[in-house]
Amino acid sequence: MDIPQEHSAGGVVIRWKGAQTQVAVIRPASSKALALPKGHLNPGESCEAAAARELWEETGIHGKLKGKLGDICYRYSFRGRLISKVVSFFLFFYEAGEINELEPAMRKEVAEALWMDTQEGLMALSYPGERDILAKALKRI
Ligand code: ATP
């Protein structure tokens, strides 16, 4: 069986608050999940550029790219069809912008974007693959 493949890119954006580190996370409008910002690549767009664009669109912040963290893979079904997906994640350090200040159109996709202490994020992120990616980012900083 030929399973359609999707590729998205996303970001782990870290900022320092005193001795604490925080990560930018979102609550997608379509689910109760707590997730990292990510999204589909536009035609001709690099993974890094897509990750930076998606994190800005979904959270309202800009980050400085610090390198690739890794890929996560999962499958889901959409309208009865199985889809296989790879998401490439990159590490960013916070640079600018107000979290949760989103373009009105983005509100249909993101209920809320927020800073969360990274230790809390390790437990609260909904998907195991994203928790692993955050753990990898924390080892790297
Ligand atoms: P994108 O944000 O890449 O544009 P999307 O919003 O169209 O994609 P996904 O976020 O991939 O779609 O969600 C599709 C399905 O996969 C949903 O049921 C969601 O709960 C599930 N899902 C999302 N991320 C993960 C993950 N890391 N691991 C397992 N399942 C996931």
Side-chain angles (χ1 to χ4, degrees):
M1 185 175 68
D2 249 3
I3 301 175
Q5 310 282 321
E6 286 183 353
H7 192 184
S8 283
V12 175
V13 190
I14 299 289
R15 76 167 180 182
W16 278 259
K17 271 276 168 192
Q20 301 270 52
T21 49
Q22 295 184 321
V23 58
V25 297
I26 65 163
R27 295 188 194 284
S30 58
S31 72
K32 291 204 167 15
L34 188 75
L36 295 170
K38 65 160 177 60
H40 288 85
L41 277 67
N42 287 333
E45 191 177 38
S46 69
C47 283
E48 291 88 338
R53 175 183 53 73
E54 286 289 344
L55 79 87
W56 177 72
E57 289 177 357
E58 293 196 337
T59 67
I61 62 177
H62 293 281
K64 186 169 176 51
L65 181 65
K66 292 290 170 181
K68 185 168 179 179
L69 290 166
D71 293 338
I72 65 169
C73 308
Y74 56 92
R75 287 179 172 187
Y76 69 97
S77 64
F78 181 69
R79 293 182 180 155
R81 294 191 72 195
L82 196 59
I83 295 171
S84 174
K85 184 154 185 173
V86 175
V87 187
S88 301
F89 277 101
F90 296 84
L91 176 63
F92 294 84
F93 288 173
Y94 170 75
E95 262 187 334
E98 274 299 312
I99 200 142
N100 205 34
E101 258 186 23
L102 309 184
E103 297 290 323
M106 196 42 60
R107 278 288 163 217
K108 290 192 196 114
E109 290 184 34
V110 176
E112 188 188 12
L114 61 151
W115 289 112
M116 181 172 273
D117 284 351
T118 50
Q119 291 306 312
E120 192 183 346
L122 284 176
M123 293 180 288
L125 282 169
S126 298
Y127 305 112
E130 294 194 356
R131 295 198 292 270
D132 289 348
I133 284 288
L134 175 57
K136 211 166 170 183
L138 297 181
K139 281 196 188 126
R140 195 150 326 161
I141 61 177

